[in-house]
């Protein structure tokens, strides 16, 4: 799978996330660049997903919230902040989230990897949620 990735800082947690993706056989599209503010990083990941350059996206900032908001500004992106595996799994399963946002300051590396893997382990959204997901997508793309 191709995963777009960006973080506004680099630390043990961000390195663990990227290493986990690479060791899992995923192609990482790193959209980081020097002197790019975190809102632009969220947008870059969102655009990569929507444009088809990546299957899913992962953004990380201090809380995860800002990069999620920035990614969600891109029509077609459904970014979700997750801090534990159950939330990440639910975001994919019940909301069809295509971008995972995590805190790079509050998650230990092993927890961030567990959250990421739970997100990646969901192959498709729950078919019982198709109508709700369609409503969610329409409200995002057609305000």
């Amino acid at each position: 799978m191709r995963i777009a990735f960006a973080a506004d800082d680099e630390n043990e947690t961000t390195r663990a996330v990227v290493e986990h993706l690479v060791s899992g056989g995923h192609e990482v599209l790193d959209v980081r660049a020097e002197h790019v503010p975190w809102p632009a990083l969220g947008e870059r990941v969102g655009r990569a997903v929507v444009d088809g350059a990546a299957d899913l996206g992962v953004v990380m900032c201090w809380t995860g919230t800002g990069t999620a908001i920035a990614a969600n500004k891109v029509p077609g992106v459904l970014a979700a902040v997750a801090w534990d595996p159950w939330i990440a799994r639910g975001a994919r399963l019940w909301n069809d989230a295509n971008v995972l946002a995590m805190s790079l300051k509050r998650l230990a590396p092993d927890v961030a990897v567990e959250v990421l893997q739970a997100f990646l382990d969901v192959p498709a959204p729950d078919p019982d949620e198709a109508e709700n997901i369609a409503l969610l997508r329409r409200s995002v793309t057609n305000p």
Side-chain angles (χ1 to χ4, degrees):
M1 205 177 326
R2 290 169 301 165
I3 310 294
F5 175 82
D8 71 341
D9 197 3
E10 185 177 332
N11 64 15
E12 192 176 338
T13 301
T14 59
R15 286 189 294 274
V17 165
V18 172
E19 288 169 15
H20 183 73
L21 288 169
V22 171
S23 69
H26 301 286
E27 179 185 339
V28 178
L29 174 61
D30 191 338
V31 300
R32 292 180 284 185
E34 283 190 51
H35 309 296
V36 175
W38 56 262
L41 294 174
E43 181 183 6
R44 285 179 178 196
V45 167
R47 291 220 180 277
V49 171
V50 169
D51 292 346
D55 301 302
L56 296 171
V58 176
V59 291
M60 299 181 78
C61 63
W62 283 46
T63 66
T65 306
T67 50
I69 292 169
N72 276 322
K73 299 264 184 184
V74 178
V77 170
L78 295 173
V81 180
W83 54 92
D84 75 23
W86 187 84
I87 298 294
R89 181 179 180 279
R92 286 281 300 136
L93 189 62
W94 303 313
N95 310 124
D96 198 20
N98 52 13
V99 174
L100 171 65
M102 295 187 289
S103 169
L104 60 78
K105 294 293 184 186
R106 299 296 294 174
L107 290 180
D110 60 328
V111 175
V113 165
E114 287 178 30
V115 171
L116 171 64
Q117 193 57 53
F119 188 78
L120 297 175
D121 281 347
V122 178
D126 180 346
D128 291 340
E129 291 297 324
E131 286 184 45
N132 289 325
I133 291 167
L135 286 170
L136 183 60
R137 287 201 172 278
R138 274 196 301 277
S139 69
V140 171
T141 59
N142 297 316

